[in-house]
């Protein structure tokens, strides 16, 4: 659907790990759905070090499918790295992500793209699996709690952060960099990068082939990631306020206790056996260390920003002018 000369309008990015049984159908269905739009597209499938036959099948399919761009990672890095690998080579103006297990429905893509094209005020559409088809409560419940918690903690109000089906304007993807397992928090990172996000209900199907790559242990990892995201949102640019703040709260009572004990000592009292001495020393030590960590953080943040010329802020285009209401000053005589 596209050639090397003219870049595609739409890049679909799919991370693939042990999805051999799903791949032929997946590629065919994405192809069929996007062909209907008659817009140039590419499908980027990132093989994330699959242990099954996924890589071979992908290579075979790519040999006869001009719009299929496969990439093969040397080992299993995880879904986040696979997605970023796809973003790094995506050329489209609209970047679509979905899972490789056909739990998302490729037939939803054209509608989402159309919405994006018709709504210049939207930068990102996040799918909402309103009728979720993961049968077990052990999957639904943690996800429900996670969604509520993430929404509350981050202030980015969505119903469903875990839905892989999303559409982005290219600029948003260019502004964010994924680390660790932060793919679940892309809407938060995007919102921080100034994206205006809407949520649109999409279809969801049960996994019919292959197995899920995640178990219940992901709950804890999500909790830790949430903590990290919240910290970054608040303190990335001022780590001294985070660490130094706690440091001062410890140092102050520590110093006061030691001063008090010092006073007693001067008056001739023995303070060697006072538990307060130990408490005071501990508080002072911890306080000083936390402040030092905060200062180190401040140095790191400068190292982080300066070489890349990253600014503290981003500007965007002026809003389109609204027609002025005729008021006393603007009305023509
Ligand atoms: N995936 C990946 N690398 C991994 C784990 C998963 O690329 O290490 C892919 C997987 O092939 C699928 C998507 O990420 O396309 C989501 O994984 P899965 O369907 O297992 O997650 P679930 O739907 O159970 O949350
Ligand atoms: Mg899945």
């Amino acid at each position: 659907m596209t050639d090397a000369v003219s870049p595609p309008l739409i890049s679909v990015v799919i991370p693939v790990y042990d999805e051999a049984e799903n791949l032929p159908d997946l590629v065919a269905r994405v192809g069929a759905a996007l062909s209907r739009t008659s817009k140039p597209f590419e499908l980027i499938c990132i093989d994330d070090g699959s242990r099954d036959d996924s890589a071979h099948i992908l290579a075979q399919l790519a040999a006869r499918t001009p719009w299929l761009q496969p990439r093969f990672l040397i080992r299993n890095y995880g879904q986040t790295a696979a997605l970023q690998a796809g973003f790094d080579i995506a050329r489209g103006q609209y970047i679509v992500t979905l899972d490789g297990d056909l739990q998302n429905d490729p037939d939803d893509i054209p509608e989402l793209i159309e919405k994006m094209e018709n709504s210049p005020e939207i930068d990102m559409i996040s799918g909402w699996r309103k009728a979720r088809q993961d049968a077990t409560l052990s999957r639904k419940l943690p996800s429900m709690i996670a969604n509520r918690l993430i929404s509350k903690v981050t202030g980015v109000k969505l119903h469903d952060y875990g839905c892989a089906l999303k559409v982005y304007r290219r600029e948003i993807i260019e502004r964010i960099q994924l680390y660790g397992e932060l793919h679940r928090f892309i809407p938060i990172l995007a919102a921080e990068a100034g994206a205006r996000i809407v949520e649109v209900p999409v279809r969801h199907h049960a996994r019919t082939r292959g197995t899920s790559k995640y178990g219940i242990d992901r709950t804890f990892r999500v909790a830790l990631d949430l903590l990290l995201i919240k910290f970054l949102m608040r303190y990335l640019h001022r780590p001294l306020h985070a660490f130094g703040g706690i440091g001062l709260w410890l140092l102050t009572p520590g110093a006061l206790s030691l001063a008090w004990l010092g006073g007693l000592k001067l008056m001739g009292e023995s303070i060697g056996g006072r538990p307060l001495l130990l408490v005071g020393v501990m508080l002072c030590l911890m306080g000083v260390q936390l402040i030092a960590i905060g200062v180190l953080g401040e140095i790191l943040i400068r190292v982080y920003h300066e070489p890349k010329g990253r600014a503290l802020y981003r500007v965007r285009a002026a809003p389109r002018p609204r027609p002025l209401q005729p008021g006393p000053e603007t009305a023509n005589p």
Side-chain angles (χ1 to χ4, degrees), residues 18-310:
D18 289 355
E19 306 284 1
E21 297 128 299
N22 287 311
L23 273 173
D25 239 18
L26 176 74
V27 172
R29 290 191 48 198
V30 171
L34 283 162
S35 299
R36 277 197 277 122
T37 67
S38 40
K39 295 183 176 113
F41 69 92
E42 64 181 350
L43 168 59
I44 299 172
C45 283
I46 305 293
D47 173 59
D48 185 18
S50 296
R51 294 159 304 177
D52 70 357
D53 230 11
S54 295
H56 283 114
I57 295 175
L58 210 51
Q60 260 170 14
L61 289 169
R64 55 185 154 90
T65 319
W67 39 262
L68 176 60
Q69 310 276 344
R71 282 290 181 281
F72 306 93
L73 304 187
I74 54 163
R75 67 168 171 85
N76 179 238
Y77 286 90
Q79 198 176 337
T80 300
L83 270 177
Q84 184 68 53
F87 292 157
D88 289 343
I89 56 169
R91 294 173 298 155
Q93 284 310 308
Y94 299 113
I95 297 177
V96 181
T97 58
L98 68 158
D99 276 351
D101 53 6
L102 286 168
Q103 289 198 262
N104 303 124
D105 199 321
D107 287 329
D108 282 329
I109 302 175
E111 236 169 84
L112 298 180
I113 295 283
E114 202 184 305
K115 185 171 174 75
M116 200 71 147
E117 283 190 312
N118 294 332
S119 331
E121 72 285 0
I122 298 176
D123 300 310
M124 170 181 173
I125 300 178
S126 191
W128 172 13
R129 299 165 294 177
K130 223 170 171 174
R132 211 178 146 173
Q133 302 299 325
D134 284 311
T136 61
L137 195 67
S138 69
R139 288 191 72 101
K140 280 192 189 166
L141 191 69
S143 146
M144 212 177 80
I145 298 172
N147 283 326
R148 293 270 167 87
L149 198 68
I150 296 173
S151 180
K152 184 113 192 116
V153 170
T154 62
V156 179
K157 304 280 179 218
L158 294 183
H159 295 90
D160 185 8
Y161 295 85
C163 180
L165 180 52
K166 295 185 171 84
V167 183
Y168 309 86
R169 277 184 209 284
R170 171 173 200 87
E171 304 85 83
I172 299 302
I173 291 299
E174 282 172 355
R175 282 185 215 160
I176 61 182
Q177 175 73 41
L178 303 179
Y179 294 96
E181 278 192 36
L182 291 187
H183 62 271
R184 293 185 196 94
F185 294 91
I186 296 182
I188 319 291
L189 301 175
E192 284 280 283
R196 289 152 301 176
I197 308 173
V198 296
E199 207 171 24
V200 171
V202 294
R203 283 168 276 198
H204 188 244
H205 306 288
R207 214 186 222 280
T208 51
R209 285 168 290 195
T211 50
S212 170
K213 312 300 179 295
Y214 300 102
I216 189 82
D217 59 325
R218 106 168 115 185
T219 316
F220 294 105
R221 300 204 301 263
V222 171
L224 284 174
D225 283 338
L226 179 59
L227 210 74
L228 174 69
I229 287 281
K230 182 69 190 175
F231 179 83
L232 293 180
M233 283 174 90
R234 266 178 93 152
Y235 293 114
L236 175 66
H237 297 291
R238 48 191 188 105
L240 184 59
H241 287 185
F243 294 106
I246 308 173
L248 275 184
W249 275 108
L250 300 179
L251 185 62
T252 313
L256 287 177
S257 333
L258 290 188
W260 158 255
L261 288 176
L264 291 182
K265 175 86 182 161
L266 282 181
M267 291 194 299
E269 245 183 76
S270 148
I271 57 166
R274 301 282 292 252
L276 191 62
L277 182 62
L278 192 64
V279 173
V281 170
M282 290 287 284
L283 287 177
C284 284
L285 273 179
M286 288 193 294
V288 168
Q289 285 187 354
L290 279 169
I291 293 169
I293 290 175
V295 172
L296 282 179
E298 291 286 336
I299 296 170
L300 281 178
I301 196 67
R302 283 157 181 71
V303 174
Y304 169 78
H305 277 288
E306 280 163 18
K308 293 212 164 165
R310 288 190 179 106

